[in-house]
Amino acid sequence: MDLRYSESDEAFRKELRSWLDSEVPAHGRPPSEHDWPARREYDTAWQRKLYEAGYAGINWPKEFGGRDASLTEQLVYYEEIARANAPYVGVNFVGLLHGGPTLMSEGTPEQREKHIGPIIRGEEVWCQGFSEPSAGSDLAALKTKAELDGDHYVVSGHKIWTSFAQVSDYCELLVRTNPEEKHRGITWLAMPMDLEGIEIRPLPTIVGSSEFSELFLENVRVPVSCRIGKENDGWRVTNVTLSFERGTAFASDIYQLQESLRELTRLAKVLTRDDAVAWEDRTLRRDVGHLAAELDGLWALVKYMVSEAGKTGVPGLTGSCVKLYYTELKQRLGDLSLRLLGRASLSRDDVGGMASETIVYEALQSLSMTIAGGTSQIQRNIISERVLGLPREPR
């Protein structure tokens, strides 16, 4: 597939860039990481602006309110969003980037009608209730149980690392409906977050934010109508969800890494080390060059993945390759940034006119990326077994 930019793509870029140059400064800076109601208002207001301007759901079909942009227009979109330093998708991440697409693929007409419009307009926020403390990286080992009682599932259990739970309207929840089957005993529910029996406990992270929470569920009655897909078919539905999370969900973030590397290079050309400009360090220049080349390669892999999704409607196993490479490369960029900052990296504030607060935040935040959405070890297993066809790991 030809992914070179056409005159039409460049016209779209010009239109989008003009809109972003006007709207991004007007939207202002995001509120504190600790004020989640304000963060919800900020993120959903930006989503409404995107929707009203026709830029929301860039790859979603028009029947669901999206723009249905071509593959090359999607790439232009990700590039321009990163260039303009536009507001991050934030609390809309789960709903927009894999919950909504999962509903489009697996939901009933009634479920699509109920949720997809509110998600894309920024009226409905979702969180993800997949991980459990006792399951570790083995997602299918989850124990949160759901027992059928009339037209409700009665759910009890414990979830962890639930992003944006404190401001969410719905949770994409995995539950065990058949204790005798591991993978074939799981069901996917769209659980309303205002039901009785749900307790949310925020978890502070190393960067000082509290976007993660624990969910404690005790006899929560979830209507059967909230089930996505068939009972005990949740593992297959989950893999559709995760293919979106590991694939196109990171496209804009990956392009943003290129801007972060350019910022690091600019900083290296003004900082001094041992009475010399840091950029004079050959080792530093070599490492920057390697990262730049790898970022170019990663962006080419993103283009391949978007092309793949365009043909099948769902990102393929390439998403695991992208997720693995992106998250580990982000950590190496963080390490290089801290090395450049030197002692200033010990501060959480800007030092000597440098944006060290942001650099340290990004470096620390990158530590979680090789765990979230499936650990690097899990991605390597998927790549070796399903992409390369190597023998399965003994289990």
Side-chain angles (χ1 to χ4, degrees):
M1 181 169 289
D2 187 354
L3 287 173
R4 289 174 295 184
Y5 296 133
S6 65
E7 290 185 9
S8 173
D9 296 326
E10 294 301 339
F12 172 64
R13 183 192 301 277
K14 183 178 180 182
E15 165 203 306
L16 176 59
R17 182 173 293 188
S18 175
W19 185 82
L20 289 169
D21 286 348
S22 169
E23 295 298 329
V24 170
H27 200 64
R29 294 177 58 81
S32 163
E33 290 279 354
H34 304 289
D35 189 349
W36 282 100
R39 286 299 300 263
R40 171 176 169 138
E41 177 55 33
Y42 179 85
D43 294 342
T44 55
W46 177 250
Q47 181 62 26
R48 282 196 296 276
K49 284 187 177 181
L50 288 172
Y51 179 78
E52 290 166 0
Y55 297 122
I58 193 70
N59 59 337
W60 286 25
K62 288 186 177 178
E63 66 177 296
F64 296 118
R67 189 179 179 95
D68 201 14
S70 69
L71 295 174
T72 48
E73 285 177 337
Q74 291 174 40
L75 293 173
V76 168
Y77 175 85
Y78 295 131
E79 291 173 2
E80 290 303 312
I81 286 287
R83 184 201 64 81
N85 198 23
Y88 184 59
V89 66
V91 301
N92 299 300
F93 182 94
V94 175
L96 280 173
L97 299 184
H98 49 85
T102 301
L103 287 167
M104 282 188 269
S105 174
E106 304 294 330
T108 65
E110 293 76 17
Q111 290 167 339
R112 294 171 180 171
E113 176 71 22
K114 180 178 181 180
H115 295 294
I116 290 180
I119 289 174
I120 198 171
R121 293 193 296 269
E123 298 166 356
E124 191 172 284
V125 172
W126 284 55
C127 59
Q128 187 182 74
F130 280 13
S131 300
E132 296 189 6
S134 59
S137 295
D138 187 3
L139 179 59
L142 64 90
K143 295 180 178 176
T144 294
K145 64 178 182 180
E147 296 176 339
L148 195 59
D149 180 18
D151 55 359
H152 286 76
Y153 287 104
V154 181
V155 180
S156 294
H158 180 191
K159 298 289 180 177
I160 197 168
W161 313 124
T162 308
S163 304
F164 318 121
Q166 58 271 64
V167 291
S168 291
D169 303 298
Y170 286 88
C171 176
E172 46 183 42
L173 185 74
L174 292 185
V175 293
R176 180 155 302 286
T177 40
N178 183 351
E180 304 301 322
E181 295 280 352
K182 186 175 182 182
H183 293 85
R184 295 179 181 177
I186 295 171
T187 298
W188 205 108
L189 300 177
M191 180 180 74
M193 289 295 286
D194 59 354
L195 297 178
E196 289 187 11
I198 301 175
E199 182 184 356
I200 302 169
R201 298 181 190 173
L203 287 169
T205 70
I206 192 173
V207 296
S209 68
S210 56
E211 67 184 69
F212 298 128
S213 293
E214 287 182 281
L215 282 187
F216 294 87
L217 309 167
E218 184 174 357
N219 296 324
V220 182
R221 295 185 66 83
V222 182
V224 172
S225 60
C226 294
R227 189 183 68 214
I228 309 300
K230 297 179 180 177
E231 184 172 293
N232 297 324
D233 192 32
W235 186 250
R236 184 190 61 79
V237 179
T238 299
N239 277 285
V240 172
T241 305
L242 293 178
S243 68
F244 284 105
E245 185 180 42
R246 293 167 185 167
T248 53
F250 294 115
S252 182
D253 303 85
I254 290 169
Y255 195 79
Q256 182 66 45
L257 281 187
Q258 298 191 357
E259 180 56 36
S260 298
L261 185 62
R262 283 191 284 271
E263 180 58 33
L264 184 150
T265 304
R266 284 193 288 270
L267 190 60
K269 291 179 178 177
V270 298
L271 276 178
T272 56
R273 292 281 182 270
D274 299 326
D275 299 324
V277 175
W279 191 243
E280 296 298 321
D281 184 339
R282 288 185 178 181
T283 304
L284 176 71
R285 294 205 305 274
R286 180 200 63 196
D287 291 345
V288 168
H290 283 175
L291 283 175
E294 289 185 85
L295 280 169
D296 286 344
L298 180 58
W299 190 241
L301 191 60
V302 170
K303 288 183 173 181
Y304 177 83
M305 179 186 63
V306 171
S307 172
E308 187 180 36
K311 287 185 284 189
T312 64
V314 176
L317 295 173
T318 313
S320 285
C321 303
V322 170
K323 199 273 180 183
L324 174 65
Y325 208 110
Y326 158 62
T327 54
E328 297 201 344
L329 198 155
K330 185 177 173 70
Q331 285 189 356
R332 285 190 282 128
L333 178 59
D335 290 344
L336 187 59
S337 300
L338 295 183
R339 202 173 90 204
L340 177 64
L341 282 181
R343 293 180 64 185
S345 64
L346 298 176
S347 172
R348 293 293 182 93
D349 299 316
D350 290 348
V351 176
M354 298 181 293
S356 46
E357 180 183 9
T358 300
I359 292 172
V360 172
Y361 176 93
E362 292 291 333
L364 292 176
Q365 193 265 345
S366 73
L367 299 177
S368 67
M369 300 298 291
T370 49
I371 300 173
T375 64
S376 289
Q377 290 80 4
I378 292 292
Q379 306 308 322
R380 286 191 168 89
N381 274 358
I382 292 172
I383 293 166
S384 64
E385 294 174 4
R386 302 187 204 173
V387 178
L388 301 177
L390 297 177
R392 290 176 63 84
E393 181 186 31
R395 294 181 172 86

